Amino acid sequence: ATSPSGAVVEQREQQITFLIPAGVRPGSQKLSVSAGDEKLLLPVPLGATPGDKVVLSRTVPAATSEASTSSPNSVRSTASGSSVGPWRCVIVREKAPVPDVETQDVKEHIAKLPQPRSALPGGADEACEKLFAAARDVGCLVSRKVARGCAPPLNVPGLLAMESIEQGEELMCVPERFHIAAPTVAQFAPALRDMVVGLQDVPASRHGEVSLSVFVAQLLQERDSQESGQSACEACAANGVAPEVLAVWRAYADSLLLEDFAYHPYRHAAADPAGFRAEFSPSPEADFMADMVIDTCAVHRAVQSACDGGGEAGSPVTLDMFLRGRLSVLSRVFQTNHDSTLVPVVDFLNHASDFCPNVSWGWNGERKAMIVTAERRIEAGEELLCSYGGRSNVLLYRTYGFTTPACHEPAWSYIVRPTEVVPIYETYLPEDERMLHVVLESKEIDPTLCKVMNAVATAGHEAADFLRLVLARCRWSYEHSPALQPALAALAAARADDPGSYAWWSRLPEEHAHLADEDATRIRISEFLCLTAHIEALDLAVGLASEEQCLPASRALHPLFRQALEVLRNGRNFSVRFVPETDAGEPRLAAPRLGGAMEAVVARGRARRELLHAFSARRFAPALRPPACEMCKITVAAADRLIGEWRW
């Protein structure tokens, strides 16, 4: 640049970078920005969203001394007659890539999912009855009061009571040897398991899931094609599986072949990617489903390449059979003595959408079997319904392809995708943590949220500021979605009358009443409520809100947030673990570990009941001998020592 006197003046670029804070109103508020000794008032641009990266820059004469670089005023005086350029404002917004599922394989094998060639003439009803007969023939209990059929309120194929059933009546008992789980594959198809373990693109955490999916796919393909080659059943027979077990597995495969998974979101996302994304926008679930379709194809290619030519690992499976196998594993497994187990016959039970099941299922360790028992008297014609667990509509739809009425939804969920919060992650997180997907649950702190909050604090930032930005940025798109305005207005009306209410479905006007029955609306409002619950819990933890202003449905979060932020402010990390609920309620304990770190502990479920029972027995009735707790390796002495340190 040249000054009025003709002297050449060296110039430099002065730049200030910051993020749009949470809670601002674009177009009507101004931000105060410090530029050295200078204070700028920046109108928040229209269209800006919380967490957007803002870059302010201007050209100034090059500094001639250290002092001149610290202040725009001193910079301005370094060259007589020279001028400082105007500030320029640029918003940098990363555009998340859209997963591409428009491939020929996806269209032909996932979107269409070819029908099996060996379907039984009697269809699914005949296949189900043959499975029941095969199970009974080898000693499984399958009550003759139960048959396949449809009944209100679900009106989808399930299991019906053909005559009245009494409370406590045992309806099914399927011993462990007929179950199919990852250890089953490792024991009876070791070559297949070794092949999966050897796949470079499949992480160790997924070896069990992938090997089980391939094994089921091989069973299905064997029953469908009857082609030559090493079959899954032949490999299992060679490794010691009894003929009666194979008979049940084959009948089970025949019934699974007739499942077309037409309702499942993987198929919807593959059939019409653009329409599916538009229907669920702004939810990240559409991108998740597309990612899963792409992942299914990628894993299949890796397995296909490893199985090429057959061998001990079995014949290669087609993409459509691999999809059937994977969706069977995803949507039909139970928790037994293994994490994910297919239990023939029992997995025909549907979920009670009102979370009032009339049957219960459970693993019986003494009998080594899955048992199904009537919870109450069931009349003839009623459907047998169990519980798939206290899952939000987001997780129900991801896994099974259906949602439950919002009035019966037991929790809310939201999954933060890194691509949606790039500038925030870049500002607060070290590079090796910036691809973490964070799971938000309305009743607990998920381990992924715990991990990211610890990482932010370790990097020297305030976890509360980070979390507030992430929550505000994610919720902003819901607040400004035209399709959601009727439901959000109904929610606002319900909360205006009662701040603790979330009964948005009850305040919908007649012309929008259909929204309460739509999967896409139920999922998006569940996500919105989850984000809102976390914002309120954060406000409560830092003193910006009262308990009465917060949603009581997420009250379990409130003490956890308060404890977690306190631990982080003290320069320490925290972890979260779950202990069982007791008859006295749900204690939430802040406990120092023996190593000095802190834990936020929340009561949940019936798992590991022995541990809390041991603590309770020693705390409240020292004379009682607590039961052994092999799972946690906690001795009586250790329990006594911990009880003395914990705040009850």
Side-chain angles (χ1 to χ4, degrees):
T2 304
S3 69
S5 62
V8 176
V9 179
E10 292 187 6
Q11 295 182 315
R12 66 177 178 86
E13 190 80 3
Q14 183 184 16
Q15 192 173 94
I16 303 171
T17 302
F18 60 93
L19 301 180
I20 296 287
V24 299
R25 295 190 298 275
S28 61
Q29 284 186 318
K30 294 182 179 181
L31 299 176
S32 177
V33 182
S34 295
D37 292 339
E38 187 178 2
K39 293 291 185 181
L40 305 176
L41 283 179
L42 173 69
V44 181
L46 287 171
T49 63
D52 276 346
K53 182 178 179 180
V54 178
V55 179
L56 289 176
S57 63
R58 67 176 176 179
T59 302
V60 298
T64 58
S65 68
E66 184 176 340
S68 66
T69 63
S70 64
S71 166
N73 293 330
S74 60
V75 169
R76 193 175 292 115
S77 63
T78 58
S80 176
S82 63
S83 61
V84 176
W87 286 102
R88 299 180 300 278
C89 176
V90 176
I91 294 181
V92 181
R93 183 176 298 162
E94 298 280 348
K95 184 172 177 61
V98 176
D100 181 18
V101 295
E102 298 280 359
T103 67
Q104 198 63 28
D105 277 348
V106 169
K107 292 178 180 177
E108 292 183 359
H109 297 281
I110 296 181
K112 293 182 179 178
L113 194 62
Q115 291 297 309
R117 290 171 285 179
S118 61
L120 297 173
D125 290 345
E126 180 184 351
C128 186
E129 286 305 315
K130 286 192 172 183
L131 171 60
F132 287 6
R136 293 185 185 113
D137 289 345
V138 296
C140 298
L141 169 63
V142 183
S143 173
R144 297 190 182 276
K145 296 181 179 181
V146 176
R148 179 181 167 87
C150 299
L154 300 184
N155 295 308
V156 296
L159 298 181
L160 303 184
M162 304 312 292
E163 53 185 283
S164 61
I165 296 171
E166 297 303 319
Q167 181 178 0
E169 188 172 340
E170 192 170 295
L171 301 174
M172 300 175 199
C173 176
V174 181
E176 181 182 12
R177 64 195 185 113
F178 298 102
H179 302 179
I180 306 175
T184 310
V185 182
Q187 181 178 359
F188 298 116
L192 170 58
R193 167 72 180 187
D194 292 344
M195 179 271 291
V196 172
V197 170
L199 296 176
Q200 294 183 350
D201 295 333
V202 177
S205 60
R206 296 188 62 189
H207 287 164
E209 167 226 330
V210 173
S211 61
L212 182 55
S213 298
V214 176
F215 182 78
V216 173
Q218 288 183 347
L219 283 176
L220 295 174
Q221 186 158 291
E222 173 194 345
R223 298 300 295 166
D224 183 49
S225 64
Q226 305 294 332
E227 293 176 354
S228 60
Q230 177 76 1
S231 72
C233 285
E234 289 172 353
C236 290
N239 286 290
V241 177
E244 62 268 23
V245 174
L246 292 178
V248 172
W249 287 359
R250 286 180 171 124
Y252 181 51
D254 288 340
S255 67
L256 292 182
L257 276 172
L258 295 169
E259 176 61 76
D260 63 5
F261 297 100
Y263 56 86
H264 203 277
Y266 286 17
R267 291 200 60 198
H268 292 178
D272 183 12
F276 189 79
R277 181 169 288 102
E279 180 184 2
F280 281 83
S281 178
S283 170
E285 289 303 288
D287 284 342
F288 171 81
M289 301 306 171
D291 284 345
M292 292 301 97
V293 171
I294 294 170
D295 178 76
T296 299
C297 295
V299 173
H300 173 259
R301 284 194 298 270
V303 170
Q304 192 82 344
S305 177
C307 286
D308 194 23
E312 294 184 359
S315 302
V317 295
T318 62
L319 177 56
D320 54 285
M321 283 299 171
F322 179 69
L323 176 68
R324 289 178 185 274
R326 182 171 184 177
L327 291 183
S328 294
V329 170
L330 176 66
S331 62
R332 306 180 79 94
V333 292
F334 290 90
Q335 179 80 33
T336 61
N337 56 332
H338 304 298
D339 282 341
S340 297
T341 305
L342 289 165
V343 184
V345 180
V346 178
D347 64 0
F348 281 90
L349 290 168
N350 284 325
H351 175 64
S353 60
D354 58 358
F355 289 89
C356 294
N358 54 21
V359 301
S360 62
W361 57 268
W363 168 254
N364 187 303
E366 293 182 1
R367 297 167 66 181
K368 294 189 180 302
M370 176 70 87
I371 310 293
V372 176
T373 307
E375 286 290 292
R376 60 168 175 81
R377 178 181 171 84
I378 303 171
E379 301 298 338
E382 276 192 79
E383 182 174 3
L384 274 58
L385 298 171
C386 69
S387 172
Y388 289 1
R391 303 177 185 229
S392 68
N393 276 330
V394 175
L395 299 183
L396 283 175
Y397 193 70
R398 273 190 174 197
T399 308
Y400 307 107
F402 66 82
T403 61
T404 194
C407 57
H408 298 308
E409 190 178 14
W412 308 311
S413 302
Y414 184 87
I415 292 83
V416 180
R417 292 172 64 89
T419 52
E420 302 298 324
V421 288
V422 170
I424 305 174
Y425 271 29
E426 288 179 344
T427 301
Y428 285 88
L429 286 172
E431 189 171 356
D432 59 346
E433 301 285 2
R434 293 176 186 171
M435 293 308 295
L436 180 65
H437 289 68
V438 178
V439 179
L440 303 178
E441 293 285 351
S442 62
K443 294 188 176 180
E444 62 193 43
I445 293 182
D446 186 83
T448 56
L449 178 55
C450 170
K451 181 178 181 180
V452 77
M453 290 175 70
N454 284 332
V456 168
T458 301
H461 301 294
E462 177 58 52
D465 294 343
F466 163 81
L467 191 55
R468 189 178 299 282
L469 265 180
V470 169
L471 295 170
R473 184 176 182 84
C474 293
R475 195 174 71 162
W476 185 92
S477 57
Y478 292 79
E479 294 171 329
H480 294 81
S481 168
L484 288 180
Q485 293 312 302
L488 293 180
L491 175 62
R495 297 201 70 182
D497 292 342
D498 177 6
S501 174
Y502 56 90
W504 59 273
W505 60 89
S506 67
R507 304 300 290 267
L508 286 170
E510 185 176 353
E511 64 269 23
H512 297 300
H514 64 280
L515 294 176
D517 299 323
E518 294 179 356
D519 289 334
T521 304
R522 290 176 176 177
I523 288 169
R524 290 178 293 182
I525 296 299
S526 177
E527 292 171 327
F528 179 85
L529 285 168
C530 182
L531 293 167
T532 300
H534 279 76
I535 291 172
E536 292 179 353
L538 191 58
D539 286 343
L540 185 64
V542 299
L544 296 178
S546 65
E547 194 78 46
E548 294 73 23
Q549 296 171 303
C550 301
L551 290 164
S554 58
R555 190 164 290 156
L557 273 183
H558 301 168
L560 296 178
F561 263 55
R562 186 166 53 249
Q563 294 176 59
L565 292 175
E566 179 182 353
V567 170
L568 295 175
R569 280 194 295 268
N570 289 330
R572 305 163 81 180
N573 286 350
F574 76 98
S575 63
V576 177
R577 66 187 177 91
F578 303 106
V579 296
E581 62 184 341
T582 66
D583 294 337
E586 298 188 356
R588 297 171 182 85
L589 313 177
R593 286 182 178 173
L594 298 181
M598 296 293 289
E599 291 182 322
V601 183
V602 63
R604 178 179 185 263
R606 297 177 180 173
R608 306 193 183 107
R609 179 176 294 277
E610 294 85 0
L611 175 59
L612 193 63
H613 182 73
F615 286 163
S616 300
R618 299 296 288 178
R619 173 64 177 84
F620 300 114
L624 296 177
R625 179 178 178 83
C629 183
E630 291 299 321
M631 180 188 301
C632 301
K633 308 297 183 186
I634 298 294
T635 65
V636 172
D640 287 338
R641 186 169 65 254
L642 288 174
I643 286 168
E645 298 174 355
W646 287 26
R647 295 199 307 270
W648 287 79

